Amino acid sequence: MTTERLDQPRDLRRSLRPHYDPEAFGRLSERIARFLGTARFLVYMSVFVAVWVSWNVAVPARLQFDPYPFIFLTLMLSLQASYAAPLILLAQNRQDDRDRVQYEQDRQTAERNRADIEYLTREIAGLRLAVGEVTTRDYLRSELQRLGEELKQRG
């Protein structure tokens, strides 16, 4: 990413190549690709083609700008498709990159969760062992009753 830093002066070199921000271009391509995948776009495009064909069929020959084989319409649709395809691919690549980062974060979270669960499992097992060795109230009562009965029998 080539963003300008505010704490450093700009380079004074000039270039004949046009400069563009890849991130801004990527966001624009995603917006266009998102629009191309909507029903609204299909309706707009269908209306556009219908008006184009209707005009060039219904009006007098002197007002037609693209007669019957509609070669100019074909050219326009091909041009639109030739720009739409790379923009859609660019948007998909950006989404793949985001998915890859999200997958990595999910994997790290899952590893931390697994480590936490294993730690808690070991702690619970240790507590169970410790509790198993501790005298409970019921056990102590039963032992005292047994001893009390033994003393009564002897005494």
Side-chain angles (χ1 to χ4, degrees):
M1 183 160 55
T2 58
T3 58
E4 294 184 21
R5 293 186 50 157
L6 297 177
D7 63 341
Q8 296 177 354
R10 290 184 180 170
D11 291 337
L12 294 178
R13 60 189 173 105
R14 301 235 176 199
S15 175
L16 296 177
R17 295 183 324 177
H19 174 72
Y20 70 97
D21 182 13
E23 192 63 28
F25 186 74
R27 283 192 303 269
L28 176 65
S29 70
E30 285 177 341
R31 289 179 61 199
I32 292 171
R34 231 177 265 118
F35 175 69
L36 291 176
T38 62
R40 179 183 292 173
F41 173 74
L42 292 175
V43 169
Y44 288 165
M45 197 58 144
S46 298
V47 168
F48 174 78
V49 170
V51 168
W52 185 293
V53 170
S54 299
W55 178 270
N56 286 296
V57 168
V59 299
R62 62 183 171 78
L63 294 177
Q64 293 177 356
F65 57 89
D66 190 19
Y68 167 62
F70 308 118
I71 295 172
F72 188 54
L73 176 63
T74 305
L75 176 67
M76 295 292 291
L77 294 174
S78 297
L79 183 64
Q80 183 269 332
S82 70
Y83 276 98
L87 287 173
I88 291 170
L89 287 174
L90 179 60
Q92 286 176 341
N93 288 342
R94 287 173 53 87
Q95 185 61 45
D96 289 344
D97 292 343
R98 276 195 299 275
D99 290 345
R100 197 173 305 111
V101 168
Q102 184 64 43
Y103 172 75
E104 181 61 27
Q105 290 173 347
D106 290 347
R107 189 187 62 74
Q108 290 172 354
T109 302
E111 284 180 3
R112 282 193 305 269
N113 288 342
R114 181 178 294 138
D116 290 345
I117 289 170
E118 288 174 0
Y119 169 76
L120 291 173
T121 303
R122 285 191 300 276
E123 288 295 313
I124 289 172
L127 288 173
R128 282 185 178 168
L129 290 174
V131 166
E133 296 171 0
V134 171
T135 304
T136 62
R137 205 176 351 175
D138 294 334
Y139 175 75
L140 187 56
R141 271 192 198 135
S142 66
E143 287 297 310
L144 287 174
Q145 285 174 354
R146 189 182 59 79
L147 287 173
E149 289 174 6
E150 275 183 34
L151 287 174
K152 282 182 187 178
Q153 288 175 357
R154 289 185 190 170

